[in-house]
């Protein structure tokens, strides 16, 4: 008879055979980010991080870290309770007001992560709104998928960024259903965005609400930095904007921003908001400093995007990426899990840390590297990455440099 341990080991062996087993690189000190001390397997040493979502490098800035250190003198290290029971601080109000302002919405609500913000909000809306049906992009993030699943209501999946398919599907839904179109402002694994003005028009034509996850875009795009909807000029037409404090905003936590009534409704019904310890002031103070910086430094953010553009020119000329200049994310398709892992492993031995992106994050056969430049990377860092990646992909039997350049 098979024991539980045998069963567990067998399941893990399947992941290993598929090249999908996750082993973590442990960063020991990142004060000099992107240069860090790191250990992984046999490797122990210095490496440059090329896969962090701390896009603007604010998590290492003395401004953000200083803001966090200052509040530790006056507040506890943990919040010590849920928002309802002893866990609310003035920092929650302050950051919610900043997020409302950044999104130009009347109100915002904090969650303990971007994942929880999606999961709790979508589950709540789907459970409580009358005859709710979600229309969800097929490439939406797992937190959206799980939120919709937890809602247990109707759902229709439309083709990725395909507004014709969305229109075809929504027109068959009952007129009196509560329809919510859910998409991402920037799909981080593909580096593309939907035409949100078209989506808004469809929502208007069929009386639907719109929900946009700006997790990978917040802090970078739009005059206030709220994301792609703002950059595309339709932010005011989006009913619910969701985002994270954990990437460009240099801290941890998630949020939704919407009308006062909608936020009050979610605050009062979302289990993932109600029944969990709230974010501590130290994280909120860091996020607050980062939001403030983002809202007041559109020029610096613009310079960052110019830096990305030049970097992507270099990657493209080296035959490493098929597309350039679209977003701050640089995607190197390897299209094989074992080769992706192998190249990542060899890169680390050469002081370059990029994490292979494998199934189920991307489809099988579409494995890739997602390279993230920050303002803290220098031209020397870039040259090092490009030289090493070019040398290794040239030796990789499945990587085709010419195909990248032609694409
Ligand atoms: C599109 C998207 N939404 C939500 C999340 C979850 O955000 P967080 O990391 O703050 O939990 C992620 C995480 O990477 C994401 O990619």
């Amino acid at each position: 008879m098979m024991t539980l341990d045998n069963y567990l080991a067998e399941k893990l062996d399947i992941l290993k055979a598929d090249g999908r087993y996750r082993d973590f690189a442990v960063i020991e000190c990142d004060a000099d980010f992107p240069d860090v001390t790191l250990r992984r397997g046999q490797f122990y040493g210095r490496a440059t991080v090329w896969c962090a979502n701390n896009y603007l490098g604010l998590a290492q800035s003395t401004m953000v870290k200083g803001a966090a250190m200052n509040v530790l003198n006056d507040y506890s290290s943990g919040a010590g309770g849920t928002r309802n029971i002893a866990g609310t601080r003035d920092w929650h109000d302050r950051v919610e007001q900043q997020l409302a302002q950044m999104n130009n919405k009347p109100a915002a609500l904090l969650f303990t992560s971007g994942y929880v913000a999606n999961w709790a909000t979508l589950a709540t809306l789907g459970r409580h709104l009358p005859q709710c049906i979600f229309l969800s992009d097929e490439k939406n993030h797992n937190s959206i998928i799980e939120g919709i699943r937890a809602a247990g209501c109707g759902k229709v999946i439309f083709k990725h960024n395909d507004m014709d398919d969305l229109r075809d599907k929504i027109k068959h839904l009952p007129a009196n259903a509560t329809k919510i179109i859910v998409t991402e402002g920037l799909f981080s694994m593909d580096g593309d965005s939907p035409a949100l003005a078209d989506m808004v028009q469809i929502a208007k034509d069929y009386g639907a609400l719109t929900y946009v996850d700006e997790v990978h875009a917040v802090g970078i795009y739009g005059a206030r930095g709220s994301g792609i909807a703002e950059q595309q000029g339709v932010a005011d037409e989006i009913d619910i904007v969701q985002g994270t404090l954990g990437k460009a905003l240099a801290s941890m936590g998630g949020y939704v921003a919407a009308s006062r009534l909608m936020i009050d409704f979610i605050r009062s019904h979302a289990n993932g908001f109600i029944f969990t310890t709230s974010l501590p002031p130290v994280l909120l103070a860091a996020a607050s400093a980062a939001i403030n910086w983002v809202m007041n430094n559109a020029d610096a953010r613009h310079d960052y995007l110019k830096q990305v553009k030049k970097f992507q020119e270099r990657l493209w000329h080296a035959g490493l990426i098929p597309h350039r200049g679209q977003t701050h994310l640089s995607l190197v398709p390897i299209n094989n899990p074992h080769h992706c892992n192998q190249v990542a492993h060899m890169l680390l031995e050469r002081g370059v840390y990029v994490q292979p992106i494998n199934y189920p994050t991307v489809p099988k056969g579409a494995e890739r590297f997602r390279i993230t430049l920050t303002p803290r990377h220098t031209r020397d860092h870039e040259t090092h990455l490009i030289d090493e990646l070019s040398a290794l992909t040239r030796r990789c039997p499945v990587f085709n440099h010419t195909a990248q350049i032609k694409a």
Side-chain angles (χ1 to χ4, degrees), residues 20-176:
R20 293 194 282 128
Y21 182 72
R22 290 165 194 234
D23 75 288
F24 300 145
V26 182
I27 293 172
E28 290 193 356
C29 174
D30 66 353
D32 299 328
F33 178 88
D35 296 320
V36 302
T37 304
L38 190 150
R39 63 185 149 83
R40 174 178 237 165
Q42 303 299 312
F43 178 86
Y44 180 81
R46 298 290 282 172
T48 305
V49 179
W50 281 102
C51 51
N53 294 335
N54 165 29
Y55 297 126
L56 297 167
L58 289 178
Q60 279 81 14
S61 75
T62 42
M63 182 264 301
V64 169
K65 283 168 68 169
M69 282 187 233
N70 283 344
V71 308
L72 273 174
N73 289 325
D74 295 334
Y75 292 85
S76 44
S77 53
T82 63
R83 287 290 291 275
N84 193 35
I85 307 175
T88 299
R89 304 286 188 284
D90 50 354
W91 281 101
H92 292 95
D93 287 344
R94 198 168 296 149
V95 173
E96 283 172 348
Q97 277 165 25
Q98 283 179 288
L99 290 167
Q101 203 187 345
M102 177 187 239
N103 286 284
N104 199 28
K105 299 280 181 222
L109 186 69
L110 284 165
F111 293 83
T112 46
S113 71
Y115 192 103
V116 174
N118 271 334
W119 171 76
T121 303
L122 294 169
T124 301
L125 297 179
R127 273 185 205 150
H128 293 278
L129 299 186
Q131 278 183 270
C132 187
I133 303 175
F134 288 108
L135 292 114
S136 180
D137 187 289
E138 66 181 339
K139 289 201 174 174
N140 274 341
H141 187 255
N142 178 270
S143 53
I144 295 176
I145 296 169
E146 290 298 336
I148 292 176
R149 185 174 292 156
C153 64
K155 69 161 191 256
V156 174
I157 308 299
F158 61 90
K159 289 189 196 139
H160 179 53
N161 284 345
D162 186 336
M163 294 302 133
D164 292 333
D165 190 48
L166 173 62
R167 188 177 279 281
D168 276 352
K169 291 193 163 136
I170 203 170
K171 70 181 172 204
H172 298 297
L173 300 182
N176 58 349

Side-chain angles (χ1 to χ4, degrees), residues 53 112-118 140-144 184 186-189 213-216 242-247 252-254 370:
N53 294 335
T112 46
S113 71
Y115 192 103
V116 174
N118 271 334
N140 274 341
H141 187 255
N142 178 270
S143 53
I144 295 176
E184 297 182 22
L186 171 57
F187 286 85
S188 77
M189 293 304 161
D213 172 326
E214 295 278 20
V215 158
H216 290 278
Q242 180 272 356
T244 184
L245 307 179
K247 301 189 192 292
M252 185 181 175
R370 193 184 59 152

Side-chain angles (χ1 to χ4, degrees), residues 98 101-102 223-225 290-298 301:
Q98 283 179 288
Q101 203 187 345
M102 177 187 239
R224 296 183 307 271
I291 297 168
N292 202 28
W293 186 90
V294 161
M295 289 185 70
N296 290 300
N297 285 281
R301 294 190 283 111

Side-chain angles (χ1 to χ4, degrees), residues 230-284:
E230 188 187 0
Q231 189 195 43
Q232 292 190 9
V234 295
D236 292 349
E237 314 278 349
I238 306 300
D239 295 296
I240 303 171
V241 181
Q242 180 272 356
T244 184
L245 307 179
K247 301 189 192 292
L249 298 181
S251 182
M252 185 181 175
Y255 63 88
V256 290
S259 72
R260 217 170 275 291
L261 212 52
M262 178 61 85
I263 291 299
D264 202 16
F265 181 83
I266 298 166
R267 188 183 71 88
S268 307
H269 290 88
N271 293 337
F273 173 80
I274 296 172
F275 296 104
T276 188
T277 300
S278 67
L279 290 169
V282 60
L283 293 181
L284 292 167

